[in-house]
Amino acid sequence: MEYIKSFPVFALLIPLMLSFAMPLIKSDRTIKNLALISSASSMALCGLALKYVIEHGAYKYKMGHFEAPLGIEFQVGMFECIMALTFTAVTFLVVMHSSGRIEKEIGSRNIQIYYLLMNIFYASLVGMVFTNDIFNAFVFIEVSTLAACGMVVANSDGRSIVAAIKYLVYSSIGSGLVLMGMAFLYSITGNLNIEFINAEIANAWQEYEKVVLISMALFVFGLGIKAAIFPLHVWMPDAYAYANNTSSALISGIGAKAIIVLLVKVLYSMFGSELVAQSGLLKVFTALGVMGMMMGSVFAIFQSDIKRMLAYSSVAQMGYIFLGLGIGNVLGLAAAMFHVIGHSVTKALLFMSAGRLAEGAGGVSIEKLESVGARRPVSLGLYSVGALSMIGIPILPGFVSKWSLSIASIEAGKGLLLAAIILSSILNCVYYLPVIIKGYFKKSEGAFDGIKFTRREESQIGTLPLVVLAGIVIGVGALSGDIINAFSFEFSKLM
Amino acid sequence: MERLIANYVEVCAIMLFGVGFMTLLMHNNMIKKIIGLNIMDTAVFLFFIAKGYISGKQAPIVVGKLEEASAYINPVPTSLMLTGIVVAVSTTALALALTLRLHQKYGTIELDEIIRLREA
């Protein structure tokens, strides 16, 4: 069974290697199949690795059998495997959904390059989740940013070029800060492996307190820009709103989430929970989280474009995640990480179904979506599943994470945060429900025009990936107890 | 003050970083932004390589006979920065490509003008 240990590496290598073959292939059909095969195998390998970890416990994979401080390691534990499985599963479904529609979104000229970028993008995220080497993580961050920029401009719209430039500029600032933080850290620890740095910091941090704190601030600020935490989110709404639907589903679903996973590893595995608790960082996270939850929702209410609305909703959801990090106990962290999973599957579902709705209504403006339920009943139903999860209806993952966050904040003696969570949920209702209500119940003239044609289109394979994704959303909600327990167990070792 | 003079390379690097950071953030012209990005990256390279340098030691390249490890500087930061340079070059290339596309679409590379054009 020894060979299963190298599966996480192959989950990264297969999409990466296949992506280099793509520009050589002429047939679009073959390229789509190749993208589908690589994401499916990546997902299967992550799943098998998770099964192995559950049975045999966590392990470290040494690249090329070089021992740790010299070679690069992969940390393969329960947390990493669950995250990688979520990201690759979302990717697989997005790729499957895109295969019939990508020509409509970006034209037929750039298909090879588009799938190449997509493969590189999720491969780098898988690498970011597993890696135990901080410089390696930096390279993966950069690769994912460049690939995401390419995906944003794929539809050759003028606005999407400006959006991609904004994204690139902010990301470059973020990665510059992360690299600087790494330089400070390297100068006092002389290591790049997360565990070795942790051991060195535990010995030496009192001597170099300021350097360690500066480096921590640089890491948090740099990764915060990329994760779009509230005041640093300015690049996000444009990038999500003007990209084509497939790109926005993929980037919003998994792009920013992998950065959060890395941030948790940097803070708790590398700096250590003691240092994090002493640095006052948790208060900053709580404050920014609450502000993000409120302001993101308030901005979302005033949007007239459904994709922009979903993008601002992502700002609010990032607020929940940072609130969970800021609570500072094991359950809070586990709930935040569960929210990463829940939001990842839900937001991908929402963006893809919103894309279908906009197609049915002939525009992305929310006003045009009135009575779209007659033309696209299935898509609107799937959108409703996602929206209800965001609002926090029981069984669905949104409810579970809000519930766990509430319990965690009571445990930590920060009862006031409950008010913020409830208020933010109400704000969520204000902007998610009107689309559903108007879509299904509002009567308008001309709503049934062309319905004969759309019926047939609805029954094609097109919505199958979305139905599966909605099933996964419900499944994640149903399995929430196990996932949160697994995360709590993992994090209780770190805190 | 003494500490600043003793660590003059690091001080220089941080100052350069600030210059690059502000240029990247404040200017509306895309080319100036890209120049700022490169200054910022170079500052980090300088900082990293200064950390690996030990005065009086050789570069870790074997010419003739192999000497003891203590005769060479620390090669790790240097090799890390090789990767860093590759990353910076690819970011610059992508930014330049986007600038080109921007110019084709709007006929200008000033971001504030583009925003004005779009609103009009």
Side-chain angles (χ1 to χ4, degrees), chain A residues 1-15 41-53 59-63 73-77 80-82 84-85 88 122-131 140:
Chain A
M1 296 302 278
E2 201 60 14
Y3 59 89
I4 292 187
K5 284 194 169 182
S6 44
F7 277 6
V9 183
F10 281 97
L12 160 71
L13 282 181
I14 289 175
S41 50
S42 197
M43 177 178 71
L45 292 174
C46 288
L48 289 171
L50 175 62
K51 189 165 168 285
Y52 182 86
V53 167
Y59 63 92
K60 290 204 175 57
Y61 182 84
K62 294 183 197 68
M63 289 284 174
E73 276 184 339
F74 265 20
Q75 163 74 32
V76 187
E80 286 86 359
C81 283
I82 293 176
L85 181 61
T88 45
Y122 74 81
S124 64
L125 297 188
V126 170
M128 210 190 295
V129 169
F130 280 121
T131 188
F140 283 131

Side-chain angles (χ1 to χ4, degrees), chain A residues 272-426:
Chain A
S273 59
E274 202 183 320
L275 205 56
V276 173
Q278 280 184 16
S279 63
L281 199 62
L282 296 178
K283 279 178 197 150
V284 178
F285 277 166
T286 314
L288 293 184
V290 170
M291 263 153 65
M293 278 156 63
M294 297 301 161
M295 298 312 290
S297 302
V298 170
F299 283 137
I301 290 171
F302 293 110
Q303 298 306 317
S304 57
D305 167 344
I306 188 166
K307 283 179 78 180
R308 265 189 107 75
M309 183 194 93
L310 291 176
Y312 275 111
S313 150
S314 278
V315 176
Q317 305 300 321
M318 281 298 170
Y320 283 104
I321 293 168
F322 276 89
L323 176 72
L325 294 181
I327 290 173
N329 55 13
V330 174
L331 185 60
L333 190 55
M337 290 304 110
F338 178 75
H339 198 68
V340 168
I341 297 178
H343 184 233
S344 172
V345 288
T346 318
K347 206 26 94 58
L349 174 68
L350 279 170
F351 263 111
M352 286 195 285
S353 53
R356 295 185 80 86
L357 290 180
E359 210 172 73
V364 283
S365 119
I366 291 176
E367 280 173 15
K368 278 192 179 168
L369 293 178
E370 278 176 12
S371 63
V372 73
R375 291 156 184 264
R376 294 279 191 276
V378 181
S379 299
L380 189 59
L382 295 166
Y383 178 86
S384 311
V385 172
L388 292 179
S389 163
M390 285 292 168
I391 293 165
I393 301 298
I395 302 181
L396 296 169
F399 167 75
V400 180
S401 47
K402 282 175 191 177
W403 180 260
S404 318
L405 282 175
S406 311
I407 291 180
S409 54
I410 293 170
E411 266 181 21
K414 296 173 181 167
L416 266 181
L417 294 177
L418 274 181
I421 294 171
I422 292 168
L423 190 60
S424 165
S425 302
I426 294 170

